[in-house]
Amino acid sequence: MKYFAGLFSAMLFFSCAKEKKDYKPQFTTVTTTTLHEQQDIGVRAITIDGDKVWYAGSMGNFGALPLNGGKALTGVISKDTLYPEFRSIAQTKDAVFLLNAGTPALLYKVTKDTKHNKLVYTETGEKVFYDSMKFRNDDEGIAIGDPVNECLSVIFTRDGGNTWKKCHALNSLW
């Protein structure tokens, strides 16, 4: 038994040795860029798009920072006097989608050149709070939020984010 324990310990020690791999980054330097010089911004959501990092955050702020040099894109979205607190971001090949936390839920489609934005979904209610959003491909996307009236909040699109519909069939699962 003593020999078995020693043999087992040796096998465990040598089998757990880490294999050395050479890591080569896709970019050589990272420079910091001030997102907005006139105010602090709380970034709450990011997504990688090739050589850019798209972000969304507090007070309606959003934009893209280049990883390999180039110009940063920045923008601010407001609806009347409301500046959304963005918490979710998703993308297709042509646009990024920004979704705020709380009510009213506001979902914006922003072209990747940031020249055009469009409010594509609104939802009001005391407990409305969307948490996450993802596109499966360039046409189909989903956003999920906290339950309201014992029903999980789910909205989806099948047309590239131009229109969104609330899914009401999930309440039968609870």
Side-chain angles (χ1 to χ4, degrees):
M1 184 70 174
K2 192 182 213 184
Y3 296 108
F4 177 72
L7 181 62
F8 180 73
S9 296
M11 286 178 16
L12 185 62
F13 177 76
F14 289 111
S15 68
C16 293
K18 291 185 178 181
E19 180 182 328
K20 183 180 177 184
K21 293 183 179 181
D22 290 331
Y23 173 73
K24 294 186 185 344
Q26 294 180 1
F27 49 90
T28 55
T29 60
V30 175
T31 58
T32 59
T33 303
T34 302
L35 299 179
H36 296 273
E37 294 177 5
Q38 298 165 338
Q39 65 184 14
D40 291 331
I41 176 175
V43 174
R44 303 286 192 241
I46 62 171
T47 187
I48 305 297
D49 180 23
D51 65 346
K52 293 184 185 87
V53 176
W54 285 92
Y55 66 89
S58 60
M59 298 298 296
N61 289 286
F62 73 95
L65 299 174
L67 295 175
N68 294 327
K71 184 179 177 187
L73 302 171
T74 61
V76 177
I77 290 177
S78 65
K79 180 172 176 29
D80 300 325
T81 61
L82 175 69
Y83 289 89
E85 296 293 320
F86 293 123
R87 294 293 185 273
S88 299
I89 190 169
Q91 65 175 314
T92 62
K93 70 177 180 163
D94 297 322
V96 292
F97 294 82
L98 312 171
L99 181 57
N100 76 307
T103 188
L106 303 171
L107 176 55
Y108 287 90
K109 179 179 183 178
V110 180
T111 59
K112 287 194 175 178
D113 63 6
T114 69
K115 292 182 180 178
H116 305 295
N117 68 68
K118 178 182 177 186
L119 181 62
V120 292
Y121 182 79
T122 303
E123 183 178 338
T124 58
E126 183 181 336
K127 296 182 180 181
V128 171
F129 194 101
Y130 282 90
D131 303 299
S132 183
M133 178 173 43
K134 179 75 176 165
F135 273 81
R136 183 167 86 169
N137 52 46
D138 285 330
D139 292 321
E140 300 170 313
I142 188 170
I144 299 175
D146 293 354
V148 176
N149 298 326
E150 298 181 11
C151 181
L152 187 63
S153 296
V154 178
I155 58 173
F156 65 94
T157 183
R158 291 194 174 127
D159 64 0
N162 292 313
T163 59
W164 293 76
K165 295 180 182 180
K166 185 146 183 153
C167 180
H168 295 284
L170 291 176
N171 61 356
S172 62
L173 298 175
W174 298 100

